[in-house]
Amino acid sequence: MSREHLEHIQSQMLPWQPCEWSWPGPGARMKILSLDQSSGACSVILRLPPGWLAPVPAIDCDEELLVLEGSLVIDGRELFAHGYAWLPRGTDREQMRSEDGVTVIAFYSSTPRAVEPSLDASGGETGLIRDAFAMPWTSDNMDPAYGDAGMRWKVLREDPVAKDATMLVSTPPHLIPPDWTGPQETHDCVEEAFVISGDFLSPIGTMRSGAYFWRPPHILHGPYGSVGGSLSLIRTLGHDLENNWSEHQVTLSLAPPYRPVVPPRLKGQLQEWSEPAAY
C-alpha cells in the first residue's frame, strides 16, 4: 500500500466532483477521501442520483460500502442508512438501483472497471449484505481499555486470511481518559475511519460528523474522548487489530487545537469549513 498518512480532514472540506469511472457511471458525484496511487485502491463518498441503475454488469475490483443516507437496492434487498454490502470482484450488479438517490461511503481495491460477471473472478467469494440495525452491540474481543469504558462495536466483516476487518464503533458521552491523561497507541495494521455522527476528541483536533483519516501502521495516536458520544465506521487492514500502548502519557483537552496531517496534494483542494451552529 502506498497511501499517504491523512489525519484528519472533514469530508465537507473536499469538493464534489463528477465521477469519470464507468462505475457507478454518469450522473454520479464523488469525493475522493484517499487514494493509493500505485494500485488505484481508494476510499470515496459517492452520491448517486434518483433513478440510478447499475450501468455495467460487473466491475473488476472488490467493493465495500455503507449507506449514509437514502436507499440502495441490491438483488431485491433494500438497504437504508447504515446498510452494509461487501461485493467481491466479478459480482453481478445488474440488480443494483436507487429509486430516490443514495449517498454511500465506498471502498475499492482498485479503480473500478467494467467486466462480465464471473464467479471465478471473485475467487469463489460470495457477497455479504447486512442491516447494521439488526446486529447487537458488543464489547467481545475489544481491548478492555475501551470496552470497560463503554465503547461497543458491530463487526460487519472479517477476512481471516487477509486480516482485514470492518466495524461500526460507538463511544458513549463523557468518554475521557482518567484525569484527561493517558498513553498513546499504535497498531500493526492500517486503520481507516469515518465519523458518521457525534464528536471524537483527539490531541490533534475534534472529529465531527464527516471526519476521515487513513493511518498507516505504527503511527502513534490518541488518547481519545467524546463529549456527546459518536458513531464511526472503522476498517483495519493487513493485520489483526491490537493496541500497543506507549509508556509516555499525553493530555487531552475539551477543545483540542486542530493540527491535521494532510498530504501536500490535498492542501490546495480543501475548502473552508466551520462546524454548524448547535443552537
Side-chain angles (χ1 to χ4, degrees), residues 16-192:
W16 288 103
Q17 60 188 67
C19 180
E20 298 179 354
W21 302 332
S22 60
W23 178 266
R29 298 182 68 78
M30 66 191 303
K31 294 187 178 194
I32 299 176
L33 300 172
S34 66
L35 173 68
D36 187 317
Q37 298 285 354
S38 60
S39 69
C42 55
S43 304
V44 301
I45 299 176
L46 291 174
R47 180 167 286 171
L48 309 180
W52 177 85
L53 296 171
V56 296
I59 61 176
D60 66 349
C61 64
D62 300 332
E63 180 181 37
E64 187 173 16
L65 64 85
L66 185 86
V67 175
L68 298 176
E69 60 181 26
S71 64
L72 179 67
V73 177
I74 304 176
D75 281 341
R77 184 169 176 180
E78 191 164 16
L79 302 180
F80 298 95
H82 307 174
Y84 169 84
W86 157 258
L87 304 171
R89 62 191 179 98
T91 298
D92 188 334
R93 295 161 188 270
E94 292 183 334
Q95 301 302 314
M96 291 183 69
R97 60 184 172 83
S98 179
E99 182 176 343
D100 299 319
V102 66
T103 301
V104 304
I105 182 168
F107 311 94
Y108 297 97
S109 58
S110 62
T111 303
R113 295 182 300 179
V115 294
E116 290 300 317
S118 170
L119 287 177
D120 292 337
S122 70
E125 286 191 277
T126 56
L128 175 64
I129 299 175
R130 311 195 76 157
D131 173 9
F133 279 93
M135 301 174 64
W137 288 108
T138 180
S139 60
D140 292 350
N141 300 318
M142 181 178 281
D143 189 317
Y146 287 132
D148 292 350
M151 291 181 66
R152 296 291 183 267
W153 59 15
K154 298 183 179 186
V155 179
L156 300 171
R157 176 178 177 267
E158 289 183 285
D159 184 331
V161 176
K163 302 294 184 181
D164 299 343
T166 303
M167 62 208 80
L168 289 171
V169 177
S170 70
T171 61
H174 295 193
L175 174 74
I176 58 169
D179 298 322
W180 292 87
T181 301
Q184 294 193 288
E185 60 191 270
T186 63
H187 312 300
D188 295 329
C189 59
V190 168
E191 185 177 17
E192 176 180 30

Side-chain angles (χ1 to χ4, degrees), residues 192-212:
E192 176 180 30
F194 181 83
V195 178
I196 298 171
S197 61
D199 69 271
F200 207 52
L201 305 174
S202 82
I204 63 169
T206 300
M207 291 175 273
R208 306 286 184 184
S209 176
Y212 171 83

